[in-house]
Amino acid sequence: MAETEPDLDALFAVAKAAQRQAYAPYSRFRVGAALLADDGAIYAGCNVENASYAVGACAEAGAISAMIAGGGRAIRAVLVLGDGEALVTPCGACRQRIREFATPETPILIAGPEGVRARFSLAELLPASFGPANLPA
Ligand code: THU
């Protein structure tokens, strides 16, 4: 079954706007995330750090919270945007957070300030993953 391609320009614009709102006074590394959900909406998140460093939250976690609160129930695509030379791929914990609402085929787009730099499937970033179907109904 052919899936509709996500609107990358729209995802990028939403992630860029969220990145500007990031609260990252400690790392100074601002991240924005945008999720295309099953309801057709795009949900945004940014990293929110904390003086108690370990309590800080990633942009992806915020976007997932926004999706659930807004009524979305499945992730169709993810775009993560950060500065610097290296690809800002989701951390391990966020890969698992995404997994809860996505499939192994869900595209994860990694962007820098200039645009999308790389595209992965969730399975490439989190192979042989554990998900909701692993638990008894
Ligand atoms: N960060 C994210 O928000 N998402 C990622 O995919 C990578 C890292 C945040 C966490 C922390 O606030 C800052 O970037 C530096 O690690």
Side-chain angles (χ1 to χ4, degrees), residues 24 27 29 31 47 49 57-60 80 88-91:
S27 72
F29 191 73
V31 183
N47 53 333
E49 297 184 347
C58 287
E60 296 90 327
V80 183
V88 182
T89 45
C91 76

Side-chain angles (χ1 to χ4, degrees), residues 19-64:
Q19 186 199 25
R20 282 190 211 106
Q21 304 302 331
Y23 177 75
Y26 307 109
S27 72
R28 308 224 170 258
F29 191 73
R30 295 167 170 269
V31 183
L35 304 179
L36 174 64
D38 56 339
D39 59 358
I42 296 176
Y43 294 97
C46 61
N47 53 333
V48 182
E49 297 184 347
N50 193 282
S52 177
Y53 293 172
V55 181
C58 287
E60 296 90 327
I64 289 170

Side-chain angles (χ1 to χ4, degrees), residues 12 16 80-84 110-117:
F12 183 84
K16 188 97 174 161
V80 183
L81 169 60
D83 298 331
I110 310 301
E114 76 291 348
V116 173
R117 293 175 170 173

Side-chain angles (χ1 to χ4, degrees), residues 72-132:
R73 282 297 178 271
I75 298 173
R76 301 289 189 232
V78 180
L79 187 145
V80 183
L81 169 60
D83 298 331
E85 302 269 301
L87 291 180
V88 182
T89 45
C91 76
C94 284
R95 294 176 194 201
Q96 185 65 33
R97 289 191 179 100
I98 293 165
R99 174 67 185 93
E100 185 70 17
F101 304 104
T103 69
E105 295 75 34
T106 301
I108 314 284
L109 300 137
I110 310 301
E114 76 291 348
V116 173
R117 293 175 170 173
R119 176 183 179 134
F120 300 94
S121 66
L122 178 59
E124 288 177 296
L125 298 181
L126 192 68
S129 64
F130 184 90

